[in-house]
Amino acid sequence: MGAVPPAVVVCGVLLVLAGLAGVAAAFPTYLVVGGEELREVRGVGGALVALLVPAVHLAMGASLARRAVPKLGLAYAAVAGALAVGQLLIEIYRGSSSTARPGVEVVAGELVLTSGVQRGAGWVLGVAALGLTVVAGVVAMAAWGRTVMDDRGALEPVRSLLAGAAVLLGVAAVLCLALPAAEVPDEVRTDPVTGLETVVTREGPQALLERPGLALLGGLLLAGALLLCSVVAPSLRPRLGAVGGLLAVTVAVLSAGLVGLRDAVTSDELVWTVPGAGLVVVGLAMLGLALFAWRTRRSPDVTGTTSGIGSS
């Protein structure tokens, strides 16, 4: 540990504010669509999913505010901020009323008619949380080069292996995000006269890159940032920097998959999809990489020098 500039504390405070805004956003009305009030949280399971990202923001922000292991929190904030740019544009699209939108959408786990969209307090607080996360990411990038923190290079022998695994998981996450995590199943109808069965496709959630305008731009930015961060995170130094970057990717991917599961559980019209389950699997695998980087340390041998990879 060496110099820790004041910007580190500023980044921590911004992350804490983003976490608090995210917690507050989970419970009020999210949007009013077609006269129907929608909320992000319906039950204990929904609350746990909605509070996953804010809780990690609060933990990392508090660590930065105390100037503890700063590059761990800075790496987390930088990656989370990069991913939040696309998410912010998607949220702005969800809260806007436009004739370019399809007539039927799935919002907050409900199949609704988008004849009119009104923003609720939950949406405003959610956008504020994403905006604060983006600003925290910018501050983290500015403070990174002026923050002195190093280790004994324990991760170097396995860093290439870690990077290869992270890239593969990043590609898998982008492929899973390209399809909805929960969807409306097709309906099988039987002709009462002929007995012929036909499959009728029902309008359901739009895929990440099927939305128009800002949502399409946000989807492209989110997919590109996810892939780029999966490549960059394992290369961050010191070792705890890689841990922070991988943790940010983990939280984003795991949250996307769990939101699909929450929507499928709370709605009678939606089912969880294979891409949604894939996001959870990829998120857990990313968490495994972060834990591996966390536990990889250079242990002392009997002669007092350092050798081997182990955990202490």
Side-chain angles (χ1 to χ4, degrees), residues 98-109:
S98 171
T99 56
R101 300 180 70 161
V104 177
E105 281 190 64
V106 175
V107 182

Side-chain angles (χ1 to χ4, degrees), residues 1 12 54 63 65 68 93 98 149 163 170 185 188 193 222 225 231 259-260 263 278 282 284 295 307:
M1 288 287 296
S63 174
Y93 164 80
S98 171
M149 179 179 168
V188 179
V193 178
L222 177 58
V231 174
V259 165
D263 292 346
V282 171
L284 292 175
R295 297 294 297 171
S307 62

Side-chain angles (χ1 to χ4, degrees), residues 8-26:
V8 170
V9 178
V10 174
C11 180
V13 172
L14 288 170
L15 265 187
V16 169
L17 292 175
L20 292 175
V23 172

Side-chain angles (χ1 to χ4, degrees), residues 88-206:
L88 178 60
L89 295 180
I90 292 173
E91 278 302 314
I92 292 174
Y93 164 80
R94 285 177 179 166
S96 64
S97 181
S98 171
T99 56
R101 300 180 70 161
V104 177
E105 281 190 64
V106 175
V107 182
E110 294 290 337
L111 192 65
V112 292
L113 179 65
T114 56
S115 56
V117 178
Q118 298 177 356
R119 302 164 184 173
W123 181 89
V124 174
L125 290 168
V127 168
L130 289 171
L132 287 168
T133 304
V134 172
V135 177
V138 173
V139 175
M141 293 177 193
W144 181 267
R146 295 183 288 116
T147 304
V148 178
M149 179 179 168
D150 206 351
D151 58 19
R152 291 180 288 180
L155 193 62
E156 300 309 314
V158 294
R159 195 180 286 274
S160 59
L161 177 64
L162 184 69
V167 170
L168 290 177
L169 291 175
V171 172
V174 170
L175 292 176
C176 290
L177 279 175
L179 295 173
E183 66 179 2
V184 179
D186 294 336
E187 183 179 355
V188 179
R189 294 181 182 177
T190 303
D191 189 313
V193 178
T194 64
L196 180 65
E197 292 184 343
T198 57
V199 177
V200 179
T201 302
R202 302 170 62 194
E203 189 71 30
Q206 290 178 292

Side-chain angles (χ1 to χ4, degrees), residues 36-49:
E36 182 177 353
E37 290 191 1
L38 304 178
R39 297 177 184 271
E40 290 283 354
V41 173
R42 286 165 292 172
V44 177
L48 293 176
V49 173

